[in-house]
Amino acid sequence: MDRSGWMLAGLVALLAALSALWMLQGLGAGNRGFVLGLRAGKLAALVIVGAAVAVATVLFQTVAANRVLTPSIMGFDALYVLIQTTLVASFGTAAYAGLPAGGKFLSEVAVMTALACLLFGTLLARGGRDVPRMILTGVILGVMFRAMAGFLGRIMDPSEFAVVQSVSFASFNRVNADLLPIAAAVTALAVGLALRMAPRLDVLALGRDAAVSLGLRHQALVLAALALVSALVAVSTALVGPVAFFGLIVAGLAHALARTARHRVLLPAAALIAACLLVGGQWLFERQLGQAATLSVVVEFAGGLFFLYLLLKGRIR
Amino acid sequence: MIQIEGVSHHIGTAQILRDISTSLPEGRLTALIGPNGAGKSTLLRLIGRLEPLQAGRITVDEHDVARCPTGCLARVMAILGQQTAIASRLRLSELVGFGRWPHHQGRPSADDHARVAEALDAFALTPLAGRFLDEVSGGQAQRAHIAMAFAQDTPWLLLDEPLNNLDMSHARALMVRLRGLVADGGRSVAMVVHEINYAAAWADHVVAMKDGRIFATGAPAEVLTEEVLSALYDASIRVGQHHGRPLVLHHA
Ligand SMILES: Nc1ncnc2c1ncn2[C@@H]1O[C@H](COP(=O)(O)OP(=O)(O)O)[C@@H](O)[C@H]1O
Ligand SMILES: [Mg+2]
């Protein structure tokens, strides 16, 4: 096995150990089945969210040809929140809550994918070389989506707004459990497709000119990658809410640890690192620190610092 | 042969190329010359389908660049643009290895590996093969990019200012190699050159451009004359002779 293989095996082993710790630590005598069930659900959610955020970020960074942008910075999750708010506002809470969770989620994913491909596809079709303009556009889009969602929230009635609010803030403590099966399926499908695209993504990472010269169908691949990013962001936002900087940390760690530009290695490495961080972090905060701080706040704080560090070091490429 | 018929190009309201028709001969080394902003890069990028064609028609060995699938064109021509910054962290050997992608689509064979080794060797990069792109000099990185295009092993090689960043000996080594590809390998090369004397010394065919138009075409002895160059660059330029080839003098 080569270096990359050992690294991935090590990450799998670490995740297995953390999962065992999560499931079994402090398990009392009574009600084992119930506690184990609860824990398993949450573990699944953390792993799914980790994989979704990580793969979405690595894919997006490859498409955008730089390492400081993430889907969240570009406003993807704000777009998801806006779509959901719009749906609640137009159907009303009662009707909205009455819809089957799976179908509702899939249609949100579909709308999100179409909109994101339209918006970001045009922005990135030329290769996304102009990084400052991309950041600015993303920030503006994000603010705009949030403002529109906020405006809709204000004109809705309070009970409807409460439904929406649950997806507007990140929390790893409260996971939307109804969605687990469908979220798992969407994530597995998207990650699988991303891995199939891996050799082409390697070529895409050379930049638009080189990729076209090598005969890659650039535009088609960019749109396909953006569609996967949209679906994955929808999954993670629906499950735990928007996490702005987590993906940035994970992608940065994956690049540093994998020391290769091959997506066959980068994608699974990022997904495993993210899952380990979330499972380990949530165990620490929920069980050891007794919720003295919350994981999402710490993750965002560390991620924000890392973002500043990247910007200040001038590594925006 | 590359056939260019009635090609015009504009960006916004600016007219970059105006109704260009010319052809680049097969089995020859063609130099594109002209002042900054003449449209040389734009024309090369249009031939290499890096920009969509707005008006006119371009064929490379009978392949219409606007119609032919891009994967098929990648086995007919390799184009190296002027900007070559790459975001991902690659070793030189990996970069050159991508040149084989049009032939194996991600599954390199032993033959592909051999050709990558050959390309690295041809550009004196074998000792640097394991280094990362951001750990070598600008000239070495430039050679690695050229080696990638070389490894693509296409009948046509389109290079935009490949001599940038190269010192005199590597620049000459590159020209010798390109000459060899044309003379012995039966390949065709079209390159943008700024230093006119490289065109004078090595090219078979010269295309001079100015203000988005073809200004003159022909053999070096026909195009690289005092009248043509002085009008092309709006400066009085002296041309001497050296071993039967034109020698452009910078000191007027
Ligand atoms: N993105 C752009 N927007 C507007 N004008 C451009 C753009 N790119 C190139 N140009 C203009 O097109 C002309 C031709 O450029 P180019 O083909 O790069 O010239 P050359 O390679 O001969 O120096 C120049 O006048 C340049 O200013
Ligand atoms: Mg140029």
Side-chain angles (χ1 to χ4, degrees), chain A residues 129 208-209 212-213 317, chain B residues 45 49-50 79 85-86 152:
Chain A
R129 269 273 161 251
R208 182 176 174 277
D209 284 3
V212 172
S213 176
R317 278 213 296 155
Chain B
R45 292 173 64 80
R49 45 93 172 81
L50 298 184
I79 175 164
I86 283 183
Q152 207 172 326

Side-chain angles (χ1 to χ4, degrees), chain B residues 11 14 16 34-43 82 160-161 192 194:
Chain B
I11 301 177
I16 312 287
N36 295 135
K40 306 177 297 290
S41 297
T42 308
L43 183 61
Q82 209 168 354
D160 197 346
E161 298 193 28
V192 178
H194 257 296

Side-chain angles (χ1 to χ4, degrees), chain B:
Chain B
M1 188 163 72
I2 293 181
Q3 195 83 44
I4 300 163
E5 292 160 21
V7 168
S8 296
H9 194 79
H10 51 87
I11 301 177
T13 56
Q15 186 85 25
I16 312 287
L17 297 178
R18 300 159 200 268
D19 193 22
I20 288 195
S21 295
T22 188
S23 60
L24 311 182
E26 199 170 316
R28 295 278 184 274
L29 199 161
T30 299
L32 273 132
I33 62 166
N36 295 135
K40 306 177 297 290
S41 297
T42 308
L43 183 61
L44 207 69
R45 292 173 64 80
L46 285 172
I47 298 172
R49 45 93 172 81
L50 298 184
E51 308 284 343
L53 201 55
Q54 294 169 350
R57 201 173 113 95
I58 298 178
T59 57
V60 180
D61 288 353
E62 310 297 318
H63 300 279
D64 187 330
V65 296
R67 304 236 172 115
C68 203
T70 183
C72 155
L73 289 172
R75 291 189 293 273
V76 179
M77 61 181 165
I79 175 164
L80 182 62
Q82 209 168 354
Q83 255 86 45
T84 46
I86 283 183
S88 52
R89 204 152 184 265
L90 290 176
R91 292 177 197 280
L92 262 54
S93 55
E94 292 174 301
L95 177 72
V96 177
F98 278 113
R100 298 303 300 162
W101 203 76
H103 303 276
H104 63 60
Q105 312 280 323
R107 291 199 187 82
S109 67
D111 178 51
D112 291 313
H113 290 301
R115 278 164 187 269
V116 172
E118 187 192 325
L120 284 166
D121 194 47
F123 292 90
L125 293 168
T126 310
L128 303 173
R131 291 246 211 121
F132 285 104
L133 260 181
D134 51 6
E135 292 169 350
V136 298
S137 78
Q140 290 164 339
Q142 174 77 359
R143 267 152 57 207
H145 280 100
I146 300 168
M148 171 170 84
F150 174 79
Q152 207 172 326
D153 197 19
T154 49
W156 280 91
L157 208 51
L158 312 176
L159 306 169
D160 197 346
E161 298 193 28
L163 301 172
N164 269 2
N165 295 325
L166 296 193
D167 64 40
M168 211 192 281
S169 90
H170 281 113
R172 179 166 60 193
L174 173 62
M175 294 314 297
V176 169
R177 176 139 308 271
L178 293 175
R179 203 51 269 165
L181 283 179
V182 169
D184 314 326
R187 301 220 239 161
S188 319
V189 175
M191 60 190 292
V192 178
V193 199
H194 257 296
E195 173 53 68
I196 303 287
N197 279 321
Y198 282 98
W202 304 97
D204 304 301
H205 184 75
V206 178
V207 175
M209 292 181 68
K210 185 177 184 179
D211 295 334
R213 291 195 178 87
I214 302 283
F215 189 77
T217 60
E222 294 160 26
V223 178
L224 306 179
T225 61
E226 294 191 350
E227 294 118 277
V228 175
L229 290 180
S230 299
L232 181 63
Y233 289 98
D234 292 320
S236 111
I237 291 170
R238 303 277 314 276
V239 179
Q241 284 279 323
H242 184 70
H243 288 301
R245 285 201 164 246
L247 178 68
V248 180
L249 305 172
H250 297 279
H251 34 86

